Amino acid sequence: MAGQGVFKDLLDGDVFKYYVDGAWTPTTSGKSVGIVNPSTLKPLFKISACTQDEVNKCVDSCKAAQKLWAKVPLWKRAEHLHKLAAIMKDQKITIADCLVKEVAKCMKDAMVEVVRSGDLIDYTAEEGIRILSEGKFLTSDPFPGNERNKYCLASKIPLGVVLAIPPFNYPVNLAVSKIGPALIAGNSVLLKPPTQGAVATLHMVHCIHMAGFPKGLVNAITGKGSEIGDYTTTHPGINCISFTGGDTGIAISKKAGMIPLQMELGGKDTCLVLEDADLELAATHVVKGGYSYSGQRCTAVKVVCVMESVADELVKKINEKIKKLTVGMPEKDCDITPVISETSANFIQGLVEDAKEKGAKLHQEWKREGNLIWPVLIDKVLPDMRIAWEEPFGPVLPIMRIKSVEEGIHHCNANNFALQGCVFTKNIDKAIMISDAMESGTIQINAAPARGPDHFPFQGLRDSGIGSQGIINSINMMCKTKSIVINLPGPSYSMG
Ligand code: G3P
């Protein structure tokens, strides 16, 4: 399979090389990591199992390139980014094709991921110029005292080397959402793609190569977590980590030390449906939010808390829409495609079995072929069921029937994960008061949770993460403030 529709420069035999100092390089380990096609369960690609020495080589290369890049004018950095965006859009079919095979994303969503990434880079370049060209000038107020004889010139300077670790579900988009802000702010980037999704990400890196960025500004390492995982995340040459993924992020945070962290971890996004909600609208968003990309989004609707009096009607509408979802292979552009791995499919099945055993009602028959799971709505879920709290990351959605709004808010707030949530009601005052009471990073009013638009702030609370994302916040987060203070002998010139 390797070699079909892929950039040939990336290959050493049938193994994808890693990228260091502007060159695609074979690993010296002689070892590789296999990528399995989630749809066929057959081996698909091989990526380099890099060594710790190769991590050092990448970090050294990043450090050298960053020193020069920090001196490059903003408009030139932006020019490179615009070029990258154009190349990526041009190569969208090649990259999307990898996503289809590697992470079983349907073709239309894979294309959207690449085009969205190009747009994100363009916007980052423009926003970066505005944010970074502005500094601050402060006059002094002594604490304590009377003399005002100091002036402060504060500006934003880069952090250094940013380690970017994207997840399998958006390996390209969540790589560029880290790389774009890092580069415009004058940093260099060491990219560690997820194993599943690595080849699509390496193709994006090749677009960086084609855009003519200086050598070493972006390096990409692949390999086994057990060999290079901790070694990379605790490397003294890393000055910032931007990670999206699961529980591993908590372990990374604990070991990372005194560097800025941006972590987007899980989400158990609660959807609250009130008695006065537009149920047709709510059902449309619940189905889109809960089942798109087979529920494998941190921002997917993960539990619906609906007022008992309207629950039957909402469930009926959701079921009608589930019936229309197409189930099958990503190449056929089906709505529901195989989940990422057998481990994941088994985990999802375990959650459904637990709920069923404890009395929940499945509106659709449980059906699974390999990693392909047919969509299921699990009704009458109670707090003692695992699925009320755990994140399935699959096409199964629990419904909890609630007697009061407070019960729904309580369920949302009692969860460890607090990325996003949503509320459906026609009463805007209530919507705002409920949004205030729901303790999650973002609450959507009358729409399903979503990260975009990509310049909005995006931050999870509790175990859902630390450090705010979104283009603007990421640019600011990937800088530190440098101050130059002018000290005068007195507040004004003495006239003798
Ligand atoms: O799961 C990744 C998360 O960032 C979701 O993004 O755009 O699907 O809301 P999005």
Side-chain angles (χ1 to χ4, degrees), residues 105 116 167 169-170 173-174 177 244-245 264-265 292-293 295-300 302 391 393 419-420 444 448-454 458 469:
K105 190 169 270 195
R116 174 182 178 181
N169 62 347
Y170 281 100
N173 183 266
L174 283 168
S177 73
T244 307
E264 183 204 336
L265 312 180
S292 58
Y293 188 36
Q296 298 175 108
R297 296 163 54 239
C298 316
T299 50
K302 303 272 171 55
E391 188 184 18
F393 235 61
L419 187 62
Q420 292 214 355
Q444 307 267 352
R451 175 168 46 116
D454 290 326
F458 182 50
Q469 298 179 81

Side-chain angles (χ1 to χ4, degrees), residues 253-327:
S253 307
K254 286 184 180 153
K255 292 181 200 159
M258 297 269 285
I259 56 171
L261 300 176
Q262 194 178 48
M263 298 273 157
E264 183 204 336
L265 312 180
K268 184 75 185 170
D269 311 73
T270 307
C271 173
L272 217 54
V273 183
L274 270 53
E275 281 155 328
D276 70 341
D278 176 338
L279 295 181
E280 186 58 30
L281 180 80
T284 302
H285 280 268
V286 164
V287 172
K288 189 166 179 279
Y291 297 93
S292 58
Y293 188 36
S294 308
Q296 298 175 108
R297 296 163 54 239
C298 316
T299 50
V301 172
K302 303 272 171 55
V303 56
V304 178
C305 293
V306 54
M307 290 295 287
E308 204 143 40
S309 57
V310 290
D312 283 340
E313 205 184 332
L314 180 74
V315 163
K316 188 169 160 253
K317 286 181 184 296
I318 294 174
N319 280 332
E320 279 162 10
K321 293 180 196 303
I322 289 179
K323 247 188 234 156
K324 292 185 188 145
L325 295 174
T326 53
V327 183

Side-chain angles (χ1 to χ4, degrees), residues 118-399:
D119 289 347
L120 187 155
I121 295 167
D122 278 330
Y123 194 97
T124 303
E126 295 304 310
E127 196 64 37
I129 292 179
R130 284 188 282 276
I131 292 174
L132 298 158
S133 56
E134 265 186 16
K136 259 193 179 164
F137 168 74
L138 291 100
T139 55
S140 64
D141 262 322
F143 303 95
N146 297 314
E147 294 219 331
R148 304 187 83 234
N149 61 346
K150 290 172 189 282
Y151 296 112
C152 176
L153 306 172
S155 60
K156 294 186 174 95
I157 60 165
L159 296 172
V161 183
V162 173
L163 174 61
I165 311 179
F168 82 83
N169 62 347
Y170 281 100
V172 174
N173 183 266
L174 283 168
V176 304
S177 73
K178 302 169 192 313
I179 294 171
L183 293 184
I184 194 70
N187 301 286
S188 59
V189 176
L190 173 55
L191 174 67
K192 161 72 179 69
T195 296
Q196 211 76 32
V199 171
T201 315
L202 293 177
H203 278 74
M204 179 278 294
V205 172
H206 198 56
C207 296
I208 293 177
H209 178 82
M210 293 193 283
F213 282 88
K215 285 179 183 174
L217 195 64
V218 176
N219 293 301
I221 191 102
T222 56
K224 291 191 178 127
S226 55
E227 173 69 17
I228 59 164
D230 277 359
Y231 188 79
T232 311
T233 53
T234 58
H235 198 291
I238 298 296
N239 307 112
C240 167
I241 302 177
S242 179
F243 171 94
T244 307
D247 289 352
T248 327
I250 296 176
I252 293 175
S253 307
K254 286 184 180 153
K255 292 181 200 159
M258 297 269 285
I259 56 171
L261 300 176
Q262 194 178 48
M263 298 273 157
E264 183 204 336
L265 312 180
K268 184 75 185 170
D269 311 73
T270 307
C271 173
L272 217 54
V273 183
L274 270 53
E275 281 155 328
D276 70 341
D278 176 338
L279 295 181
E280 186 58 30
L281 180 80
T284 302
H285 280 268
V286 164
V287 172
K288 189 166 179 279
Y291 297 93
S292 58
Y293 188 36
S294 308
Q296 298 175 108
R297 296 163 54 239
C298 316
T299 50
V301 172
K302 303 272 171 55
V303 56
V304 178
C305 293
V306 54
M307 290 295 287
E308 204 143 40
S309 57
V310 290
D312 283 340
E313 205 184 332
L314 180 74
V315 163
K316 188 169 160 253
K317 286 181 184 296
I318 294 174
N319 280 332
E320 279 162 10
K321 293 180 196 303
I322 289 179
K323 247 188 234 156
K324 292 185 188 145
L325 295 174
T326 53
V327 183
M329 292 301 129
E331 290 82 358
K332 298 251 161 77
D333 246 351
C334 289
D335 298 314
I336 304 292
T337 54
V339 296
I340 195 67
S341 66
E342 225 171 328
T343 314
S344 176
N346 292 342
F347 175 75
I348 297 162
Q349 186 167 347
L351 289 181
V352 175
E353 278 165 4
D354 172 77
K356 211 173 149 188
E357 273 162 28
K358 290 176 181 158
K361 176 181 170 172
L362 269 59
H363 283 280
Q364 292 77 18
E365 200 188 330
W366 170 258
K367 191 172 166 194
R368 172 182 167 187
E369 279 171 18
N371 292 349
L372 185 62
I373 292 172
W374 271 251
V376 178
L377 186 68
I378 309 174
D379 200 356
K380 300 189 177 163
V381 166
L382 298 171
D384 68 332
M385 300 174 188
R386 285 174 55 206
I387 201 153
W389 306 101
E390 294 179 44
E391 188 184 18
F393 235 61
V396 299
L397 183 60
I399 300 263

